[in-house]
């Protein structure tokens, strides 16, 4: 065992020398590159600080803008102008939703830009990455242009508060009650119960039937010989009574107005009646008005065109033969017309001639 001892000592001494040499190289390498490390670290720290500060400023700006919009909506709520708009609470909820989307997009852009700058600080070549992202973006833009259009249209619809859940809208391609509002698709339930999925990018115009107020219009057709003053007084009485009864007094936002004659014909006249109602209550109010007008006209003895009419007492009885056709000359077989129209009889057969 003694001869092997010097060999082990030589291996230990070589290992120690190599370790010392490596430590010396490492120390020299650190001393040569510590300034570069410090510069890189300070640059990364500066990028993080600037990105964080910019993110806070942008998010705070968006929040202040949303709060200012809410204060503006609260100022007009309860006024004549506010009656034509949706209520302030709904505006607040919608503005908070769009504010959350804007804050998320701003944070994504700022953090993404800061990450690219940090990668560039580590001397990572970003050209292939950006080129690939650009090509992918162009391809996705061509392939998903309808999706981008739908998304942007949905953002502006929510931002402008054009409609909301529960509103009845006319979107051109479909009409119904809004069931769900998304950034890409709006879900409507039609009058027959069908659910329509309308892409926001396909909507060219929107008619909101639930904002502000609605108008209940009724046309009453009476005979041309009716007393117009009596008709107008009866309609005014119906309007005054419906404005006092529950629940129509809450659904009516204005008095029932007799607009006057819409048209005058030889045997009839059309009188227009209108009333301002709650949003979406125009059809119900119009049906109730027709019901009450018919009962009031029957009680007042006013005839509506289309009803049964009594025959005048001094009219002569109708001639029963007035609806019969005149006799035809062809009815008699011996008349000249019948003889002229009869077929020519074949010639009579005579005796044959012999050759």
């Amino acid at each position: 065992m003694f001869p092997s001892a010097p060999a082990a000592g030589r291996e230990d001494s070589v290992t120690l020398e190599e370790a010392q040499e490596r430590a010396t190289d490492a120390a020299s390498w650190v001393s040569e590159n510590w300034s570069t490390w410090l510069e890189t670290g300070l640059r990364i720290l500066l990028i993080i600080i600037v990105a964080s500060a910019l993110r806070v400023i942008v998010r705070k700006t968006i929040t202040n803008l949303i709060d200012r919009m809410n204060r503006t909506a609260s100022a007009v709520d309860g006024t004549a102008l506010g009656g034509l708009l949706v209520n302030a609470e709904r505006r607040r909820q919608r503005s908070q939703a769009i504010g959350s989307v804007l804050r998320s997009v701003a944070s994504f852009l700022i953090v993404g830009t800061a990450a690219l700058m940090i990668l560039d600080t580590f001397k990572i070549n970003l050209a292939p990455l950006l080129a690939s992202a650009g090509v992918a973006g162009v391809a996705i833009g061509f392939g998903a242009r309808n999706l981008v259009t739908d998304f942007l249209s949905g953002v502006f619809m929510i931002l402008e508060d054009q409609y909301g859940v529960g509103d009845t809208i006319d979107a051109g391609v479909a009409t119904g009650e809004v069931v769900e509002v998304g950034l890409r698709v709006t879900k409507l339930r039609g009058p027959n119960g069908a659910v329509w999925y309308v892409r926001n990018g396909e909507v060219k115009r929107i008619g909101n039937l639930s904002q502000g107020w609605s108008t209940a219009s009724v046309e009453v057709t009476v005979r041309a010989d009716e007393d117009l003053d009596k008709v107008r007084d009866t309609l005014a009485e119906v309007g005054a009574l419906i404005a006092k009864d529950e629940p129509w007094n809450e659904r009516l936002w204005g008095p029932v107005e007799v607009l006057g004659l819409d048209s005058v014909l030889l045997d009839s006249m059309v009188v227009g009646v209108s009333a301002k109602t709650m949003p979406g209550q125009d059809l119900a109010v119009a049906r109730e008005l027709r019901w009450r007008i018919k009962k009031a006209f029957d009680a007042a003895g006013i005839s509506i065109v289309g009803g049964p009419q009594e025959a005048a007492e001094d009219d002569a009885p109708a001639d029963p033969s007035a609806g019969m056709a005149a006799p035809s000359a062809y009815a008699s077989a011996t008349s000249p017309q019948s003889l002229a129209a009869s077929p020519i009889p074949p010639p009579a057969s005579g005796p044959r001639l012999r050759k």
Side-chain angles (χ1 to χ4, degrees), residues 1-9:
M1 295 179 62
F2 293 99
S4 62

Side-chain angles (χ1 to χ4, degrees), residues 295-335:
K295 295 178 63 178
F297 277 14
D298 292 343
I302 301 175
S303 300
I304 298 178
V305 171
Q309 298 182 1
E310 298 179 356
E313 297 179 356
D314 54 349
D315 291 345
D319 186 5
S321 62
M324 300 175 59
S328 175
Y330 292 96
S332 177
T334 59
S335 64

Side-chain angles (χ1 to χ4, degrees), residues 8 48 60 65 130 153 200 208 280 309 321 347 350:
I48 294 176
K60 186 65 175 177
L65 180 61
L130 296 179
S153 300
N200 295 330
N208 196 324
Q309 298 182 1
S321 62

